[in-house]
Amino acid sequence: MTPHSRPFGSRLMGAVAAVLLALAACAPAADVGTTASTAATAPTTPSPQITGSTEAGDVDHATLVFTGGTVLTMDRVGRVAEAVAVKDNLIVAVGSKAEIEALIGPRTLVVNLAEQILLPGFVDGHAHYYTAPDALGLDHIGIQDHMLSVGVTTAAEMTVTPDLLAELSRLDDEGEIRVRTSLYLAHNTSCGELLDPWILDVRPTRGWGERLRIGGVKVFNDGGSCNVPASSYERPNGGRGDLYMTAGEITDVVTLYDQAGYQVALHALGDRAIKEVLDGLEAVIGDSGNPRRHRIEHNTSLPPEMRDRYDEVGAVAMTFGSLNTCFLLGQDDRFRFSMPVEYQEWEWPWRDLLDLNPGTVFAWHGDFPVFEDSTPIGNLAGYVTRRQVRPDGTMCEPEPYHAKHAITAGEALWMMTAGSAFALDRDSEVGSIEVGKLADLVLLSEDPRAVSADDLFGLSVELTVLDGEIVHCGSTRADLCDGPPLIVSSTTTTTEPSFTPLTFSASSSLTTNPPELAGDGDLDSHWSSGSSAPQWIELALESETVVTGLRLLVSQFPEGFTRHVVLGRLAGGDLVRLAELADVTAERDLLTVSFSEPRAIVGVRIETVESPSWVAWFEIEVIAES
């Protein structure tokens, strides 16, 4: 069977951009805000006002403008705008179409929003991207590419050890940290074992706009990934779980780190652990207003009588979006611990928490890689529907007592942007679209407040902007991406190419489709990861070789938008970025890539960070310098 050649989309960003403006009414939908603290409140039905408007004469011409659509600012009163202007890495104006048009100059890149919707970049308040790297099988470049592709521009890395702190600090010194990352240093392990004292020898940082921040301390108070959450009831497999500290001990630990300038994030899954944490934090916070923004992580199991305590205590509360519905229905064994049926209604009662605690900041955390779908879109859909997608694409429907605790799309969006920024103490920098804040933005394919619940899972991230630079493009905006130096051939191939067998390895593979099939010269056999993106395949060369390009024969169904990062492995073992490929591709497309700067390398890795199907390739050919 003969493959057909398909060039990747053009990559233009810069100089002179056409001005495409479409008039849109500056009128918000009824659902924009969520319950939050007095310092960060966004009402449920904001008035149709313009926020943070800057007159045209107040700034020079913008470098980037979004206009002609809907901008959800996620500011304190939940205002909606028509347009946003960015100058370098800062938001310089938010307002009406007419006001922002006045800031367009001859070198301004103008993006017409049309029916798509602009938001602040998503802020993942609790994750383990670097502490669990095997979950993605990617290096630090691929990890960040994945985060940006799903719209995460700021994140928190939890349970950071001294070794990981040293490694991430080195990467930051080398300019390799792109996604803003707040580190939470490990006080104890997930099994409750105390680490040797080390944290007080490290100073927290609060540099405005810094990419890497030493932000806080992570403290476990019950089981989860190790041991069992501490409950007040007997579990079917015996016992009441594993509690690590009493309220008094928590007070002592938090006070110690508070006085050293650290925020403390306390892991508490079971109701018994949550009660001890609430009691311990109440003694620390008192009437202070919680200036360090000490946090309770997870808050998953809460009897009705505990649900109104958060306002009394004054702590920030982190919540999951992706409800583990299939597990609660007994259809998934992903988690090791279970609870009696009569206590399942205690799980994740977000509607009650928001309604009963209007003065508390509730924020989102994806907790990657705990759930199969830790993406912002998956979590947004989980908050609103309480459904979970099975591997075959069908849905696990929630029980009525779980469905009643759904929250609105507007509430969820606030928690995933401004709320999580507040939880990281970064709300002066990111989390809302306001003048003077960093231009970290995300463009969604549709307005989550307007689509049906069934369609929420199908939303896509069409643009991600970091520090005013477009760093990810979806299928409808592929022409706006400025990738690494790359020349793509558009010549149609009419004969089957000759592929050179090499040594292959991969992040995962079906037993029937090992990675070697991507280099066996048989155009009808293929490697398949057997899993969704992100995945990688690596080709080891016989010796150091100057590589000028690649040819890749696509194995993919259905047709859809894909994104791949091509990396070269140097003789010393390090990986260097060679190209980024992004476009709509289909089965048996032949992709020809020529590098404008050939590199002497000993291997090539292709990291697929976005794909509509399992990641797979029929054949991969390395083109070497003659």
Side-chain angles (χ1 to χ4, degrees):
M1 186 178 296
T2 302
H4 53 280
S5 180
R6 184 185 187 92
F8 277 95
S10 62
R11 301 166 179 279
L12 303 173
M13 180 183 178
V16 179
V19 179
L20 302 173
L21 301 175
L23 181 63
C26 183
D31 169 29
V32 173
T34 185
T35 304
S37 74
T38 303
T41 299
T44 305
T45 53
S47 58
Q49 301 178 53
I50 304 300
T51 179
S53 175
T54 299
E55 295 299 327
D58 294 342
V59 297
D60 295 329
H61 289 144
T63 52
L64 175 63
V65 161
F66 292 91
T67 188
T70 301
V71 179
L72 295 185
T73 67
M74 297 298 158
D75 70 358
R76 295 182 182 183
V77 293
R79 291 167 177 167
V80 177
E82 291 177 322
V84 176
V86 173
K87 174 72 171 178
D88 299 326
N89 69 332
L90 294 178
I91 297 167
V92 294
V94 185
S96 70
K97 174 177 173 286
E99 288 175 306
I100 302 307
E101 274 189 64
L103 301 177
I104 296 173
R107 298 183 64 84
T108 302
L109 176 63
V110 181
V111 179
N112 177 28
L113 295 174
E115 299 302 317
Q116 296 174 343
I117 189 164
L118 192 69
L119 301 165
F122 289 111
V123 180
D124 191 341
H126 176 129
H128 303 273
Y129 285 102
Y130 298 101
T131 51
D134 293 341
L136 284 175
L138 303 175
D139 68 350
H140 68 277
I141 296 173
I143 287 170
Q144 293 178 89
D145 284 339
H146 168 71
M147 294 167 73
L148 293 169
S149 75
V150 298
V152 173
T153 55
T154 301
E157 185 70 21
M158 309 304 286
T159 321
V160 173
T161 62
D163 287 346
L164 182 58
L165 173 61
E167 174 64 12
L168 292 176
S169 297
R170 179 186 68 80
L171 292 174
D172 186 45
D173 290 341
E174 296 172 357
E176 294 291 320
I177 298 297
R178 301 170 69 202
V179 176
R180 300 185 205 286
T181 303
S182 293
L183 306 181
Y184 285 75
L185 312 183
H187 168 79
N188 57 356
T189 70
S190 61
C191 300
E193 300 164 344
L194 284 175
L195 299 179
D196 291 336
W198 70 287
I199 294 174
L200 296 182
D201 294 330
V202 181
R203 299 186 63 179
T205 64
R206 288 296 185 273
W208 198 90
E210 60 192 345
R211 292 290 178 93
L212 191 70
R213 167 170 295 182
I214 301 173
V217 177
K218 169 71 179 295
V219 178
F220 286 90
N221 197 41
D222 67 344
S225 58
C226 175
N227 295 327
V228 179
S231 59
S232 60
Y233 52 80
E234 291 287 325
R235 294 185 178 272
N237 51 349
R240 295 193 300 145
D242 301 284
L243 182 72
Y244 298 159
M245 288 185 289
T246 64
E249 291 169 328
I250 290 168
T251 298
D252 291 343
V253 168
V254 175
T255 298
L256 174 69
Y257 291 124
D258 182 284
Q259 292 175 349
Y262 277 105
Q263 177 194 39
V264 180
L266 292 136
H267 164 111
L269 286 168
D271 68 295
R272 193 156 55 101
I274 296 171
K275 181 181 184 303
E276 296 299 322
V277 169
L278 285 167
D279 290 346
L281 282 177
E282 189 171 26
V284 176
I285 296 171
D287 296 328
S288 70
N290 193 18
R292 300 277 187 227
R293 302 187 183 180
H294 299 308
R295 304 168 21 173
I296 308 175
E297 311 300 290
H298 313 319
N299 301 281
T300 54
S301 184
L302 286 161
E305 64 271 16
M306 284 177 58
R307 295 176 190 172
D308 63 354
R309 285 207 58 201
Y310 288 79
D311 267 8
E312 298 174 7
V313 173
V316 177
M318 308 301 294
T319 63
F320 293 112
S322 296
L323 181 66
N324 52 350
T325 310
C326 298
F327 169 75
L328 294 171
L329 295 173
Q331 300 175 16
D332 181 6
D333 60 359
R334 184 176 176 86
F335 299 98
R336 295 175 290 103
F337 40 86
S338 59
M339 69 289 296
V341 174
E342 61 267 29
Y343 293 105
Q344 285 194 8
E345 63 179 325
W346 291 11
E347 295 293 301
W348 304 18
W350 305 154
R351 181 75 270 154
D352 273 1
L353 286 185
L354 267 64
D355 291 345
L356 294 172
N357 302 277
T360 295
V361 172
F362 291 98
W364 166 66
H365 61 352
D367 204 12
F368 176 88
V370 173
F371 299 97
E372 290 189 11
D373 189 350
S374 297
T375 66
I377 297 300
N379 276 260
L380 171 63
Y383 271 129
V384 177
T385 69
R386 315 312 302 274
R387 298 171 182 166
Q388 185 178 7
V389 182
R390 297 186 182 94
D392 64 2
T394 60
M395 292 285 182
C396 290
E397 298 289 342
E399 295 285 2
Y401 48 76
H402 290 139
K404 74 177 183 180
H405 286 295
I407 63 176
T408 69
E411 289 171 327
L413 289 170
W414 191 93
M415 292 165 65
M416 299 173 75
T417 54
S420 291
F422 183 93
L424 295 181
D425 198 10
R426 304 203 75 158
D427 51 313
S428 67
E429 307 161 81
V430 298
S432 61
I433 299 177
E434 298 182 80
V435 172
K437 289 195 175 183
L438 293 163
D440 293 356
L441 308 167
V442 65
L443 185 68
L444 299 186
S445 56
E446 296 180 81
D447 188 341
R449 307 165 307 159
V451 302
S452 69
D454 291 337
D455 291 335
L456 281 170
F457 288 96
L459 296 176
S460 60
V461 175
E462 294 303 317
L463 282 180
T464 304
V465 177
L466 183 70
D467 264 339
E469 177 187 356
I470 296 175
V471 293
H472 163 78
C473 295
S475 59
T476 67
R477 302 286 182 166
D479 61 320
L480 291 174
C481 272
D482 182 21
L486 175 66
I487 301 172
V488 182
S489 169
S490 59
T491 304
T492 301
T493 301
T494 56
T495 59
E496 296 187 358
S498 172
F499 290 97
T500 304
L502 300 166
T503 302
F504 288 74
S505 59
S507 52
S508 66
S509 301
L510 295 175
T511 55
T512 55
N513 300 85
E516 290 76 18
L517 295 182
D520 63 354
D522 182 350
L523 301 189
D524 291 318
S525 68
H526 68 283
W527 163 69
S528 176
S529 66
S531 299
S532 301
Q535 300 291 333
W536 59 263
I537 184 169
E538 184 162 339
L539 299 66
L541 307 177
E542 292 183 358
S543 60
E544 188 175 48
T545 303
V546 177
V547 174
T548 61
L550 297 174
R551 288 199 294 173
L552 307 108
L553 186 57
V554 174
S555 174
Q556 173 192 321
F557 183 82
E559 176 178 343
F561 182 77
T562 59
R563 180 176 296 278
H564 314 280
V565 177
V566 180
L567 303 168
R569 188 170 294 281
L570 303 178
D574 291 339
L575 287 167
V576 294
R577 188 187 185 105
L578 300 178
E580 181 178 328
L581 315 176
D583 204 350
V584 175
T585 53
E587 184 85 348
R588 292 197 173 273
D589 281 353
L590 179 62
L591 312 176
T592 304
V593 181
S594 297
F595 308 135
S596 60
E597 296 182 6
R599 294 297 297 265
I601 55 178
V602 297
V604 177
R605 176 181 287 210
I606 302 161
E607 297 183 348
T608 301
V609 295
E610 190 171 354
S611 173
S613 69
W614 285 354
V615 178
W617 295 103
F618 277 113
E619 295 292 327
I620 301 172
E621 180 186 31
V622 174
I623 303 171
E625 189 172 68
S626 58

